[in-house]
Amino acid sequence: MEHKTAALAEADRLMTVCNSCRYCEGLCAVFPAMEMRRSFADGDLTYLANLCHNCTACYHDCQFAPPHEFAVNVPKVLAEVRNDSYAQYAWPAALRPVFRRNGLWIGLACAALVTLFLIGTFLWNGAEMFSAHTAPENFYALMPHNVMVALFGPAFLFAILAITMGARAFWRDISARDMGDGAGQAGIDHARAGHDAGALTYLDGGGDGCMNADEQTSDNRKLWHHLTFYGFLLCFASTSTGTLYHYLLGREAPYPWWDLPVVLGTVGGIGLVAGTLGLLRAKLRQYRDVRDETRFGMDTAFIAMLFATGLTGLLLLVLRATPAMGVLLAVHLGVVMTLFLTAPYGKFVHGIYRYLALARYARERRGALGAQHA
Amino acid sequence: MPDTRSPLDGTWDVLVAGGGNAALCAAIAARRAGRSVLVVEAAPRFYRGGNTRHTRNMRCAHDHATETLTGPYIEEEFLDDLMRVTGGNTDEALSRHMIAESKSMLDWIQEQGVRFQPSLGGTLSLGRTNSFFLGGGRSMLNSLYATAERLGVHVVYDAEVVALDIEGRTFRAATVRHGDADTRVEAAAFVAACGGFEANIEWLKEGWGEKADNFLIRGTPYNRGTVTRMLIDAGMQQIGDPTQCHAVAIDARAPKFDGGIITRLDCVVFGVVMNRDCERFYDEGEDIWPKRYAIWGRLVAEQPGQIAYVVFDAPNIKRFMPSLFPPVEAPSLRELAEKLELDPEKFEATVTAFNDAVVGGFPFDHTEPDGNRTEGLAIGKSNWAQKIETPPFYAYPVRPGITFTYLGVKIDSQARILTGDGNGTPSDNMFAAGEIMAGNVLGQGYAAGIGMTIGAVFGRIAGQEAARHGA
């Protein structure tokens, strides 16, 4: 079969090997999904690659892994295909090259946006930026609420638009073999996918835990990812609650330490900081042979952005009554703005595509069970 | 100052030669009994574990369904199966002992970290009897090695036993080659668990003649039978002969060694099989899987050039498990013959004669004898006969693929190697487990997963007994 890239061609070769073996079918969703096929088009391979959680158990379990002449390295090749797919589906297409040197781009974007916020805050406030603001309206003394909304609202909406466009194209490609059973069952599939994504069902090497540094199942990536992901959600919930307080209840920041936006943000921020440090450590320890080295920058840039978001948020909270608040506020807003704007052009999208792949898998599995019972 | 000690240096209670399922079960059992254990594995670390790397399940008796087994498989049924596949050619007392021990093996092996899963796709027929390793044989090995090392078993790779010092019935020491150095390793007990000799083509030729040059070895290239030979030469009792082995027909394009499971083909039933003279040579519809699977290796070995061609047509292409290499494909039978470099006239004539002889007309059902057969052919096809008439036409070239061998050393129920003095007196401190003694249980024939049962059960026994004798 013809393939668009060398990585896809190699993935096809590997899936042909794996489909003749099937020893790994109990490890995750990739292999059962593979068994439902006998040939692998680009869309199939993209789907399988995004189902893969990179637990690497199949590499250490494989009797045909390098140095065997069959050179089966599923985690590495699926990582390459998966990472390629992030670029392939990015919208607008003109921004796809951003994935090529992603770490650099995101680093530059972050530096630029933080600088802009620092300069902007300084131009707006002058020396006031460096004084303590203990009056009730402390943040807004430096940047009025409406200005923040005017800046972040459009950025947020743009990120959602861009991600949605990419997700649509991705879904279209991986659904080439649609079973056409109507939308009635789709809710069940998405509930299943939501559960599997939220619980990281397939990041456990088939039950005992993942492998990362070697063939021991001593990996804690699931924990670190949960801390990061749920930390991120809590931070998001904190911001959303603050917005609701502001517009619905007319209660304006700053909120006391025991109030919901602060509690959510603090717990979430700690999760983000601890989780990303754990993920980074795991990434650095990962067994060299299974890495997609060319995407190291993309992976670490995303981890770094989340870490920076959490850390600057926590610092801002702790030091909000000190003269450091102005600088910290500008830095934090610059970081968060970078996170929003670069979300469609970095590792952030992995969550979206994996969720969609899981939804596809839930649907296929339902179809396969239905066929068995028919 | 550089450390000049060999990793083999030390005082060892038990020396285990080998590194697969049997060796690790022996090492773990001996270590759990409090002995110091050295495992010498001839292969490098990646290839450790011999043919265990390529396995996927083991057959153990059990009285009830479990999380991963669909129903009971009692000892009597296991014994019946064993008697059937070996044609009674087994040491029945030893087999009964093994089957009884296999019951506790299910739990024991899991206590050593091995994980099971329900039977794999395409193997539903084994879901009740065989326990499948989650992640396959290499995953199973990884678990055993992790456990062994945690318990303090010392493992050295690239370490081959090249000589044995045996005095009468007593093991004194082994010479182990590691790197450029030969080291004399003394131990109070010796466990030989280092596989068969199937990778030793010269030895295969002693049984098969020059045909063996055309055999493919499905598993490890490290099973050369060195220790088996030395034990027999030192007066231990041999069991089996060099022709006894598990041989299946596998894709002729497979590598010479270590092609493993993915080169297997189970498509004989869907068409006809002819040799390079375009002649059919055996009833393709004799029996259902897995029995038919295990006879075709020998059948092909008897054909000129040790090669044959499975020929079928379009409707069958998706009826069996996919394998590594795509079939040879052509729009007509003549073109297919040309691609296979066979005589197109004879090729077509053989298929036509077969097609003309097909009778039955029942719905095709490969899961049980379906009554579609041939009539009037010298070599008939007694089931699943369908005309080969719908293009494209397909063929797979096949050769004998040797999975493992049965020639080895004779043992007693304590896994002690028997000396060849006529009375079969057990040796004092030498034990054998796994493929090297599989011939005690399997005089001929095979049933899925029994090799791993032999390895685990006799490995555990050998380890426990070695710990006792080697105190």
Side-chain angles (χ1 to χ4, degrees):
Chain A
M1 195 174 293
E2 290 295 309
H3 295 289
K4 267 193 219 127
T5 66
L8 285 162
E10 174 66 356
D12 186 0
R13 182 186 78 84
L14 295 190
M15 289 297 100
T16 305
V17 171
C18 295
N19 213 11
S20 328
C21 172
R22 304 189 172 185
Y23 286 13
C24 289
E25 76 171 32
L27 296 179
C28 66
V30 172
F31 298 100
M34 168 197 78
E35 288 179 23
M36 296 180 206
R37 295 159 166 76
R38 286 183 81 107
S39 59
F40 303 93
D42 286 354
D44 296 316
L45 295 166
T46 300
Y47 159 59
L48 295 174
N50 279 282
L51 262 187
C52 169
H53 290 49
N54 201 24
C55 86
T56 75
C58 65
Y59 176 80
H60 295 286
D61 289 353
C62 181
Q63 66 271 36
F64 304 122
H68 193 282
E69 64 188 278
F70 292 158
V72 174
N73 189 340
V74 173
K76 182 187 171 86
V77 175
L78 290 192
E80 287 168 4
V81 171
R82 185 166 61 242
N83 291 332
D84 285 345
S85 73
Y86 303 158
Q88 185 191 339
Y89 293 102
W91 181 92
L95 287 174
R96 285 173 195 168
V98 168
F99 278 93
R100 220 169 288 149
R101 305 195 65 185
N102 196 251
L104 179 68
W105 280 110
I106 289 186
L108 287 175
C110 189
L113 284 164
V114 167
T115 310
L116 279 178
F117 270 90
L118 283 168
I119 294 173
T121 313
F122 180 70
L123 291 180
W124 191 292
N125 300 288
E128 271 300 290
M129 181 179 174
F130 307 108
S131 342
H133 293 268
T134 47
E137 68 278 278
N138 52 12
F139 298 144
Y140 303 140
L142 295 177
M143 188 182 294
H145 188 264
N146 289 341
V147 175
M148 283 195 207
V149 172
L151 289 173
F152 283 86
F156 183 62
L157 291 176
F158 171 76
I160 288 183
L161 171 71
I163 289 169
T164 308
M165 295 302 285
R168 270 185 50 186
F170 176 82
W171 182 247
R172 203 173 48 231
D173 279 4
I174 68 164
S175 303
R177 299 158 183 259
D178 218 310
M179 297 178 300
D181 58 355
Q185 304 282 341
I188 300 171
D189 299 336
H190 283 276
R192 173 104 235 160
H195 171 269
D196 290 342
L200 294 176
T201 306
Y202 298 110
L203 190 66
D204 72 351
D208 258 19
C210 282
M211 294 159 192
N212 188 43
D214 55 27
E215 74 260 8
Q216 306 292 316
T217 53
S218 53
D219 182 40
N220 279 323
R221 271 180 297 162
K222 197 172 192 169
L223 170 68
W224 302 129
H225 193 287
H226 279 328
L227 285 174
T228 306
F229 177 62
Y230 291 103
F232 176 78
L233 285 190
L234 287 176
C235 290
F236 193 72
S238 159
T239 310
S240 307
T241 318
T243 309
L244 292 178
Y245 274 18
H246 189 92
Y247 287 111
L248 290 184
L249 307 179
R251 288 182 55 194
E252 294 196 1
Y255 305 106
W257 67 267
W258 46 262
D259 210 346
L260 211 47
V262 181
V263 172
L264 291 172
T266 307
V267 176
I270 291 170
L272 264 185
V273 168
T276 49
L277 285 176
L279 285 174
L280 184 65
R281 180 167 179 270
K283 179 134 297 276
L284 295 173
R285 284 161 48 93
Q286 189 172 43
Y287 197 68
R288 197 158 285 277
D289 294 10
V290 299
R291 291 185 191 173
D292 177 8
E293 298 274 11
T294 59
R295 265 49 174 261
F296 187 73
M298 175 184 78
D299 292 350
T300 42
F302 183 49
I303 291 174
M305 286 310 301
L306 289 171
F307 173 78
T309 303
L311 185 69
T312 54
L314 287 175
L315 285 175
L316 187 58
L317 178 74
V318 174
L319 303 175
R320 64 182 178 179
T322 73
M325 187 272 279
V327 170
L328 280 171
L329 179 68
V331 171
H332 182 63
L333 293 179
V335 168
V336 174
M337 182 61 98
T338 312
L339 190 66
F340 278 2
L341 285 179
T342 61
Y345 313 107
K347 181 70 184 272
F348 179 90
V349 296
H350 82 281
I352 309 294
Y353 295 153
R354 180 153 300 135
Y355 168 81
L356 291 174
L358 285 165
R360 177 77 207 150
Y361 178 63
R363 183 173 196 165
E364 283 190 340
R365 197 163 56 160
R366 182 163 51 74
L369 288 175
Q372 253 174 38
H373 295 146
Chain B
M1 209 179 116
D3 189 354
T4 53
R5 284 178 314 162
S6 161
L8 301 162
D9 287 347
T11 314
W12 308 106
D13 295 323
V14 180
L15 172 66
V16 180
N21 170 42
L24 271 287
C25 286
I28 289 170
R31 183 69 194 142
R32 286 198 183 279
R35 301 289 168 242
S36 62
V37 182
L38 174 66
V39 172
V40 288
E41 160 62 299
R45 191 177 190 279
F46 171 78
Y47 283 101
R48 70 184 182 185
N51 285 333
T52 303
R53 289 173 57 242
H54 291 289
T55 64
R56 56 179 178 178
N57 63 60
M58 67 197 292
R59 184 181 289 254
C60 292
H62 47 277
D63 292 333
H64 306 283
T66 70
E67 262 179 45
T68 53
L69 292 160
T70 58
Y73 184 54
I74 59 172
E75 291 178 52
E76 287 71 21
E77 188 184 355
F78 192 161
L79 186 67
D80 285 350
D81 286 343
L82 185 63
M83 297 306 278
R84 191 166 41 77
V85 297
T86 60
N89 194 348
T90 178
D91 178 339
E92 192 180 329
L94 198 67
S95 295
R96 280 182 187 278
H97 183 53
M98 177 189 83
I99 290 168
E101 289 281 309
S102 79
K103 281 176 83 169
S104 61
M105 181 48 68
L106 267 187
D107 286 334
W108 188 84
I109 202 84
Q110 290 184 82
E111 285 158 21
Q112 315 316 320
V114 173
R115 299 175 294 159
F116 289 132
Q117 63 160 77
S119 73
L120 296 174
T123 59
L124 282 181
S125 58
L126 298 171
R128 180 172 64 87
T129 55
N130 288 41
S131 296
F132 283 73
F133 309 127
L134 181 66
R138 189 165 168 231
S139 175
M140 186 246 193
L141 272 173
N142 289 343
S143 304
L144 291 182
Y145 272 96
T147 300
E149 283 169 358
R150 185 170 46 76
L151 292 171
V153 171
H154 196 69
V155 180
V156 182
Y157 301 105
D158 299 298
E160 186 182 7
V161 174
V162 291
L164 293 175
D165 179 358
I166 294 169
E167 269 180 42
R169 295 197 297 266
T170 309
F171 169 86
R172 298 288 179 208
T175 304
V176 181
R177 184 161 296 163
H178 178 62
D180 298 330
D182 286 358
T183 305
R184 182 181 160 86
V185 179
E186 294 179 2
F190 177 62
V191 178
C194 43
F197 65 94
E198 62 275 4
N200 185 336
I201 305 292
E202 293 309 311
W203 198 343
L204 284 173
K205 282 184 180 175
E206 288 179 23
W208 291 93
E210 296 306 309
K211 292 172 189 167
D213 273 333
N214 288 324
F215 290 178
L216 301 172
I217 312 307
R218 303 180 69 204
T220 178
Y222 295 93
N223 278 4
R224 293 184 289 257
T226 329
V227 170
T228 312
R229 180 70 93 193
M230 288 186 290
L231 286 169
I232 292 167
D233 289 348
M236 301 303 124
Q237 205 168 320
Q238 175 177 329
I239 190 151
D241 72 70
T243 65
Q244 283 308 324
C245 59
H246 182 247
V248 299
I250 65 167
D251 200 305
R253 297 162 291 184
K256 182 74 180 172
F257 294 102
D258 219 53
I261 187 87
I262 65 178
T263 59
R264 73 168 164 341
L265 289 167
D266 187 36
C267 54
V268 162
V269 71
F270 300 101
V272 296
V273 184
M274 48 179 113
N275 60 23
R276 72 178 184 194
D277 299 329
C278 300
E279 288 161 352
R280 289 177 56 247
F281 52 89
Y282 198 81
D283 180 353
E284 300 92 346
E286 185 184 56
D287 210 337
I288 58 168
W289 191 87
K291 190 185 161 192
R292 66 164 182 260
Y293 181 60
I295 63 171
W296 281 88
R298 287 171 174 279
L299 291 170
V300 175
E302 297 302 333
Q303 299 309 306
Q306 291 71 54
I307 191 157
Y309 303 87
V310 187
V311 181
F312 55 95
D313 65 352
N316 296 290
I317 187 70
K318 290 193 176 174
R319 283 180 169 152
F320 52 93
M321 274 275 290
S323 69
L324 180 61
F325 301 100
V328 180
E329 178 184 336
S332 73
L333 287 166
R334 294 185 71 88
E335 284 161 281
L336 185 60
E338 279 160 17
K339 278 191 173 175
L340 298 171
E341 297 177 4
L342 299 176
D343 180 345
E345 303 285 333
K346 281 185 78 178
F347 187 88
E348 203 170 19
T350 300
V351 174
T352 307
F354 172 81
N355 285 351
D356 291 346
V358 170
V359 295
F362 304 103
F364 179 82
D365 179 2
H366 68 88
T367 59
E368 51 184 81
D370 68 352
N372 295 308
R373 58 193 170 79
T374 60
E375 223 170 56
L377 292 176
I379 295 169
K381 181 173 179 181
S382 33
N383 281 291
W384 310 294
Q386 330 166 66
K387 289 185 170 149
I388 301 170
E389 56 189 3
T390 313
F393 298 97
Y394 298 101
Y396 283 106
V398 292
R399 283 195 187 280
I402 312 300
T403 317
F404 44 81
T405 48
Y406 295 161
L407 182 153
V409 291
K410 196 158 170 44
I411 61 158
D412 68 5
S413 64
Q414 293 174 302
R416 284 186 296 185
I417 299 174
L418 302 185
T419 59
D421 63 1
N423 303 322
T425 314
S427 61
D428 294 331
N429 59 351
M430 287 183 280
F431 306 84
E435 194 179 337
I436 196 172
M437 47 61 61
N440 289 265
V441 176
L442 298 166
Q444 64 180 55
Y446 187 67
I450 287 192
M452 292 299 278
T453 315
I454 293 172
V457 166
F458 289 104
R460 181 174 60 170
I461 293 173
Q464 288 165 346
E465 295 296 326
R468 224 152 55 80
H469 289 258

